[in-house]
Amino acid sequence: MELLSRTLARVKPSPTIAVTTKAQELKAAGRDVIGLGAGEPDFDTPQNIKDAAVAAIAAGKTKYTAVDGIPELKQAICAKFKRDNGLDYVPAQVSVSGGGKQVLYNALMATMNPGEEVIIAAPYWVSYPDMVLLAGGTPVVVECGIEQNFKMAPDQLEAAITPNTKWLIFNSPSNPTGAGYSWDELKALTDVLVRHPQVWVMTDDMYEHLAYDDFKFCTPAQVEPSLYDRTLTVNGVSKAYAMTGWRIGYAAGPEKLIGAMRKVQSQSTSNPCSISQYAAVEALNGTQDYIAPHNEMFVRRRNIVVEALNAIEGVTCPVPEGAFYVYPSIAGLIGKTSPAGTLIENDEVFATALLEETGVAVVFGAAFGLSPNFRISYATSDENLVEACKRITAFCAGLH
């Protein structure tokens, strides 16, 4: 009898966590490392949110809560969906978990059967395919290249749908590319979905409030109301409110689905942290005034990185509409040799050589399902980004 589950053999550890861990190890060993791998804002959690958490502790709100969220937080989530997205939900349609990742995982565990398929656009967040595999399903990856700004076209979605398709996982603005779908682009996709009533939509809106320039965020059930009854709209407080470590994600959808997700959570983790839930109430109900200034800083940082990368021969970097990532192509660098003598065969080799030779940590594109690219998170200081770009530029200039 084997110790480990055969299901576990289908998946791999998170590459983004691996890169961050490697960078931390090199720093601990005394290396000068600039980590551009972690997907979290460098801002502190706003003071009003921290104050709400302290008040909850002082009030003794440290006990078990309802399995999938306190009533106050569910009400705040319903108000948020109405205010920001024009979507009407009641608390019975809301689930709160220990981060957005758990929300997605619960939904897949509650719904997937062997042989059923989930459509995922590549580049994708690294966890989507592996969560589908853990749930017993089959990921169907649709490659969306740089020539289409990393966005799925309606004919690609149509071609990917089969009688076994259960879900489409949709993410805008995207991790890892920052690409965002306009209303018209999303409407073209929802028009396809309307014709296939067996396909459910799992929309990851975690970067909703990180939208730049003229880009206006929209979500599938908002664009096409007829999809409301088969859409799980997922969000959280991690990115916009700089609360990654507080671990609160949430979703709203049909009561039958939410009830099934509650059952999964009740037999796995039970409730999210009580203190984090009360902090999340304040995040959603309290002032939103710091989001715009944060976004101004992100736009400035984005522009620093995009300009520097596009000045490098062999590198192409589109301007993202949101989130805090860029996803440049290094197609023009493949086959060259690094200053230390490493042959750049692919983007993983590139990222490894870049880290070892310059101390800049990025995530290689193959981890996100599309090569040859790499991901930079620009959620760090201007100084770090300028220095990192200098090192990347020098490294690429030294390729021969």
Side-chain angles (χ1 to χ4, degrees), residues 20-97:
T20 302
T21 301
K22 176 71 171 176
Q24 290 170 343
E25 289 172 353
L26 289 173
K27 273 187 178 180
R31 286 285 304 276
D32 177 18
V33 174
I34 302 175
L36 304 178
E40 64 178 350
D42 58 321
F43 312 125
D44 192 16
T45 302
Q47 191 62 46
N48 64 307
I49 298 173
K50 293 192 289 186
D51 290 344
V54 172
I57 293 171
K61 296 177 179 177
T62 56
K63 309 297 184 184
Y64 292 133
T65 74
V67 166
D68 62 348
I70 58 174
E72 298 94 324
L73 181 51
K74 289 192 173 190
Q75 288 285 3
I77 291 165
C78 291
K80 172 261 177 287
F81 278 126
K82 181 65 173 177
R83 177 179 69 240
D84 295 341
N85 313 115
L87 295 173
D88 290 301
Y89 292 105
V90 297
Q93 293 177 279
V94 173
S95 180
V96 183
S97 297

Side-chain angles (χ1 to χ4, degrees), residues 82-322:
K82 181 65 173 177
R83 177 179 69 240
D84 295 341
N85 313 115
L87 295 173
D88 290 301
Y89 292 105
V90 297
Q93 293 177 279
V94 173
S95 180
V96 183
S97 297
K101 182 180 285 189
Q102 188 183 9
V103 176
L104 298 165
Y105 183 75
N106 285 350
L108 291 167
M109 289 299 293
T111 60
M112 295 305 298
N113 296 299
E116 293 178 340
E117 299 169 351
V118 178
I119 297 172
I120 303 168
Y124 47 68
W125 181 44
V126 295
S127 293
Y128 293 149
D130 288 309
M131 286 193 288
V132 172
L133 290 167
L134 277 171
T138 302
V140 175
V141 174
V142 177
E143 192 169 296
C144 305
I146 193 170
E147 70 284 351
Q148 59 196 85
N149 197 25
F150 307 121
K151 291 187 272 193
M152 185 186 294
D155 59 337
Q156 289 181 297
L157 175 57
E158 185 78 57
I161 294 173
T162 76
N164 293 322
T165 305
K166 176 161 276 185
W167 287 100
L168 164 69
I169 296 181
F170 179 78
N171 178 215
S172 170
S174 158
N175 175 6
T177 69
Y181 289 73
S182 70
W183 184 285
D184 289 344
E185 288 170 332
L186 184 48
K187 183 66 167 67
L189 293 181
T190 59
D191 285 349
V192 174
L193 294 167
V194 167
R195 297 195 294 270
H196 297 276
Q198 88 279 13
V199 182
W200 285 62
V201 186
M202 189 179 300
T203 176
D204 181 350
D205 296 349
M206 195 61 70
Y207 297 91
E208 169 183 5
H209 292 299
L210 282 69
Y212 312 134
D213 306 325
D214 296 327
F215 176 70
K216 304 295 184 189
F217 172 83
C218 53
T219 194
Q222 174 187 22
V223 171
E224 180 48 71
S226 71
L227 294 179
Y228 174 91
D229 289 330
R230 51 184 168 113
T231 297
L232 183 71
T233 303
V234 182
N235 213 313
V237 297
S238 297
K239 312 300 183 181
Y241 304 102
M243 293 176 68
T244 52
W246 297 77
R247 307 310 301 138
I248 294 292
Y250 58 82
E255 285 191 42
K256 183 176 181 180
L257 173 60
I258 295 298
M261 293 165 60
R262 183 184 308 117
K263 185 184 295 186
V264 172
Q265 188 157 303
S266 72
Q267 298 295 1
S268 54
T269 62
S270 197
N271 66 271
C273 170
S274 61
I275 303 306
S276 296
Q277 291 188 66
Y278 285 100
V281 172
E282 175 60 25
L284 295 176
N285 286 347
T287 179
Q288 310 289 297
D289 289 348
Y290 41 77
I291 293 177
H294 285 179
N295 284 357
E296 288 176 8
M297 283 187 268
F298 279 139
V299 168
R300 185 180 69 244
R301 294 168 175 184
R302 177 199 67 180
N303 294 343
I304 289 170
V305 175
V306 169
E307 182 178 351
L309 292 176
N310 278 326
I312 300 172
E313 186 176 351
V315 177
T316 303
C317 184
V319 180
E321 289 89 356

